[in-house]
Amino acid sequence: MAILVIAEHSNAALGAATLNTVTAAKAIGGDVHVLVAGAGCAAAAEAAAKIDGVAKVLVADDAAYAHQLPENVAPLVAEQGKSYSHVLAPATTTGKNLLPRVAALLDTDQISEIIAVESADTFKRPIYAGNAIATVQSSAAIKVITVRGTGFDAAAAEGGSAAIENIAAGADAGISSFVGEELAKSDRPDLTSARVVVSGGRGMGNGDNFEMLYKLADKLGAAVGASRAAVDAGFVPNDLQVGQTGKIVAPDLYIAVGISGAIQHLAGMSGSKVIVAINKDEDAPIFQVADYGLVADLFEVVPQLDAAL
Amino acid sequence: MKILVAVKRVVDHNVKVRVKADNTGVELANVKMSMNPFCEIGVEEAIRLKEKGVASEVIAVSVGPSAAQEQLRTALALGADRAILVEQDGDISSLTVAKLLKALVDKEQPGLVMLGKQAIDTDNNQTGQMLGALTGYAQGTFASKVEVDGDKVNVTREIDGGLQTVALKLPAIVTTDLRLNEPRYAKLPDIMKAKKKPLDTVTPADLGVTVASTLTTLKVEAPAQRSAGIKVADVATLVEKLKNEAKVI
Ligand SMILES: Cc1cc2nc3c(=O)[nH]c(=O)nc-3n(C[C@H](O)[C@H](O)[C@H](O)COP(=O)(O)OP(=O)(O)OC[C@H]3O[C@@H](n4cnc5c(N)ncnc54)[C@H](O)[C@@H]3O)c2cc1C
Ligand SMILES: Nc1ncnc2c1ncn2[C@@H]1O[C@H](COP(=O)(O)O)[C@@H](O)[C@H]1O
């Protein structure tokens, strides 16, 4: 039995979520192979070969895979996947876009966003915004699974020396093309793997006020997150949204500022080790999950906190 | 161009879902059911495309129990022209839903199929992508902008790093994200009129699809509960606790 992990990468570098997915693969048991489909992706492939516990890296290097268009990548993954017992991808937007298309090509059900491996065919996953945890067993010949990063520790990025094997690329499906992207540029740590996250909600009032949180975050070496309401209102871009339908984070410290604590928000951050809530409404639901609550006007206490650090 | 829009009946997003005592599932008796919020966004987008003259007809489809007619009637009140219920009780896997939708795509030949990015009950986020594979159509998932331009559609997608725009050949599949639009509310006269709009019911067998799944839910449990901690009086106390008690800064 061997397990195929689909790498998350930018051609030039391997995405951190790949490491958590490799850990999930190891928990299932069996040889772990990593597939890197990209264009000019040798650097990503070399990084994948160094991951501790990876036995082999398959590389499909072709212009058709440059932007991870699922119309082009899914047929490749499905073809390769036929030789494996499990096909795993990180539950990132790239993995979520790709893997169900692979599953349907293989005529199999997908198990989304597992947080634990019970055995080679049984997994735990949250449903209903994390209000329930389902234990799901699969009888499929090839188990197609996305992996929630916060459920598994990162595998060591160094220590392995897997063989790298080039595989033939398929044709460009010719039905989709990349037009452009606007990627957020930030020197702060990545939201999903940061040790500390400072998040702002509707209570921040406007985008300019988020400067306070950026300053605080820089002092703490933290990433900045947001509630849906803050994103919808245009205070911050969409890639900052934490929650059921945004990013899932589990830092050592999560500071929620001006966030009420709707269930959809809690779904994305209740796995944090320590939660701090700053809210002027003492009945805000966020206080029910906060280790330390400060009932106060954020415009008074955030500058104080900044000064105290 | 026709637009097919998939609408799922789910537990309302405001309901605090509880796990059943026997761990077989969640409590669904006497719980408010609604249209999946992402499907509302899909219906809204389809109607706007019709209002702009891009679409000629909007067909709402649901797979579910007879009661899912309620959600289809809502879609009709919002402006869909007709509706199809594929009647099937019990849990239905996303792959099966995709197969049923594929059969309807073959029959109706829509130019666009709109789905939500995820159903807020199973949190699967699979069906649109699976339908893409089964039809061989291109997919624009997690859409925050949809622009039909001749024989293609430009879709701006919410991705982890920001936004990405792709051009897809029509017919194509689009799955909606939260920022695509703000759905309207149905007006009373439209709700009345919707009662007279056509709503057909078919079975999976009529569509030649076998309802099956390789997945079995062994148990459903409540998540580990966090307990409320303490309230601190001021910033100085907070910093002291974070340093010396929690040791996180
Ligand atoms: C399908 C669906 C998916 C969703 N997905 C997500 C998701 O992924 N992530 C997410 O976050 N939400 C999500 N939501 C939205 C969620 O239900 C809430 O609406 C949202 O989280 C509320 O954001 P908020 O807490 O910032 O705003 P509000 O609920 O408006 O809370 C603002 C808070 O700020 C406090 N406040 C105001 N001014 C001050 C001040 N000066 N000082 C201190 N405190 C102040 C108020 O007391 C209040 O508690 C989703 C909803 C749906 C229907
Ligand atoms: N039973 C269903 N009936 C109609 N549409 C569905 C059904 N299940 C899923 N869908 C569609 O697929 C989207 C994503 O669902 P899922 O992949 O199950 O998370 C939903 O928002 C719907 O648009």
Side-chain angles (χ1 to χ4, degrees):
Chain A
M1 188 166 78
I3 300 166
L4 185 64
V5 169
I6 313 305
E8 169 97 7
H9 67 90
S10 64
N11 293 313
L14 197 65
T18 312
L19 301 174
N20 309 79
T21 308
V22 165
T23 300
K26 287 193 209 169
I28 293 169
D31 274 358
V32 179
H33 298 178
V34 175
L35 172 65
V36 180
C41 56
E46 276 156 31
K50 289 195 191 125
I51 303 173
D52 184 46
V54 172
K56 185 154 88 173
V57 175
L58 305 175
V59 186
D61 199 327
D62 192 279
Y65 306 138
H67 298 285
Q68 303 297 321
L69 294 173
E71 296 79 8
N72 296 344
V73 182
L76 174 84
V77 176
E79 190 50 42
Q80 294 298 322
K82 285 179 188 155
S83 327
Y84 291 86
S85 61
H86 299 72
V87 178
L88 270 54
T92 54
T93 49
T94 311
K96 289 174 179 177
N97 191 32
L98 172 69
L99 214 62
R101 195 163 176 118
V102 172
L105 290 175
L106 292 169
D107 192 23
T108 196
D109 296 295
Q110 174 177 300
I111 308 173
S112 293
E113 292 215 31
I114 63 163
I115 53 169
V117 172
E118 299 291 295
S119 72
D121 68 1
T122 306
F123 310 91
K124 283 192 194 282
R125 62 178 302 263
I127 54 176
Y128 291 94
N131 276 312
I133 307 294
T135 303
V136 182
Q137 187 171 43
S138 165
S139 63
I142 306 169
K143 295 168 182 65
V144 179
I145 297 168
T146 59
V147 176
R148 181 175 284 193
T150 54
F152 301 87
D153 292 336
E158 300 286 337
S161 56
I164 299 181
E165 188 182 305
N166 286 299
I167 57 170
D172 190 319
I175 51 175
S176 59
S177 58
F178 172 80
V179 176
E181 60 193 2
E182 281 170 51
L183 297 185
K185 282 188 201 71
S186 166
D187 297 331
R188 292 184 194 92
D190 175 55
L191 183 53
T192 50
S193 51
R195 206 187 62 79
V196 180
V197 173
V198 179
S199 276
R202 198 196 311 266
M204 295 304 297
N206 60 45
D208 291 342
N209 291 335
F210 260 78
E211 279 306 325
M212 288 190 330
L213 300 191
Y214 295 132
K215 258 183 79 193
L216 186 62
D218 289 341
K219 275 218 174 137
L220 291 164
V224 173
S227 70
R228 173 193 173 179
V231 177
D232 282 6
F235 301 173
V236 290
N238 64 283
D239 51 283
L240 264 52
Q241 182 179 313
V242 170
Q244 178 190 18
T245 60
K247 284 187 178 136
I248 308 294
V249 303
D252 288 347
L253 174 62
Y254 189 90
I255 306 180
V257 183
I259 292 178
S260 62
I263 184 69
Q264 292 88 357
H265 188 79
L266 301 186
M269 46 64 80
S270 58
S272 307
K273 216 178 269 167
V274 174
I275 297 174
V276 170
I278 298 175
N279 197 304
K280 67 178 180 189
D281 172 9
E282 63 174 337
D283 295 324
I286 190 77
F287 288 123
Q288 290 164 21
V289 300
D291 300 282
Y292 302 107
L294 184 54
V295 181
D297 187 323
L298 70 92
F299 295 104
E300 264 170 45
V301 297
V302 171
Q304 287 176 13
L305 184 56
D306 191 32
L309 292 170
Chain B
M1 164 171 103
K2 284 189 201 173
I3 300 182
L4 201 67
V5 47
V7 166
K8 188 176 184 186
R9 173 182 170 88
V10 297
V11 172
D12 187 86
H13 68 89
N14 287 313
V15 171
K16 170 102 176 77
V17 172
R18 276 175 217 294
V19 169
K20 280 192 195 164
D22 65 1
N23 292 115
T24 55
V26 304
E27 203 54 73
L28 292 177
N30 302 315
V31 166
K32 184 179 179 210
M33 303 295 285
S34 297
M35 189 189 300
N36 183 43
F38 289 100
C39 301
E40 289 180 352
I41 297 171
V43 170
E44 176 67 32
E45 196 65 16
I47 294 164
R48 289 189 190 183
L49 286 168
K50 191 180 168 195
E51 288 167 348
K52 278 193 225 158
V54 175
S56 52
E57 188 183 27
V58 176
I59 309 160
V61 181
S62 193
V63 180
S66 166
Q69 288 184 33
E70 283 170 38
Q71 282 64 46
L72 288 173
R73 289 286 171 208
T74 302
L76 293 169
L78 289 167
D81 297 288
R82 61 189 168 92
I84 303 168
L85 172 65
V86 182
E87 201 169 332
Q88 175 67 36
D89 287 329
D91 292 341
I92 309 154
S93 75
S94 291
L95 182 63
T96 302
V97 174
K99 287 179 179 177
L100 293 164
L101 293 174
K102 161 72 165 67
L104 290 169
V105 165
D106 288 346
K107 221 165 123 187
E108 300 284 351
Q109 299 284 315
L112 266 183
V113 187
M114 288 274 178
L115 304 92
K117 86 162 174 182
Q118 97 192 42
I120 61 161
D121 50 2
T122 62
D123 282 332
N124 268 350
N125 195 334
Q126 301 175 0
T127 310
Q129 298 88 312
M130 288 179 159
L131 182 61
L134 300 179
T135 54
Y137 297 167
Q139 66 188 50
T141 55
F142 327 146
S144 66
K145 195 169 168 195
V146 173
E147 283 177 324
V148 176
D149 176 13
D151 61 354
K152 63 182 180 47
V153 58
N154 285 311
V155 179
T156 300
R157 312 177 48 235
E158 293 201 357
I159 60 171
D160 288 337
L163 296 170
Q164 179 196 58
T165 303
V166 289
L168 313 175
K169 193 167 159 258
L170 291 173
I173 315 283
V174 169
T175 79
T176 63
D177 214 322
L178 296 169
R179 259 71 60 181
L180 181 58
N181 60 49
E182 227 175 286
R184 70 193 71 186
Y185 292 97
K187 296 194 202 79
L188 192 60
D190 294 330
I191 295 172
M192 302 311 289
K193 266 189 254 164
K195 292 186 177 152
K196 296 203 189 74
K197 288 188 180 176
L199 192 165
D200 290 335
T201 298
V202 297
T203 65
D206 295 336
L207 297 173
V209 174
T210 312
V211 176
S213 174
T214 53
L215 306 182
T216 315
T217 300
L218 301 181
K219 63 179 175 211
V220 174
E221 297 161 295
Q225 288 300 324
R226 278 193 93 97
S227 44
I230 56 163
K231 294 250 168 71
V232 291
D234 51 34
V235 167
T237 318
L238 175 63
V239 172
E240 189 273 317
K241 294 277 184 201
L242 291 178
K243 277 195 178 138
N244 302 320
E245 194 175 82
K247 298 188 168 56
V248 284
I249 58 169

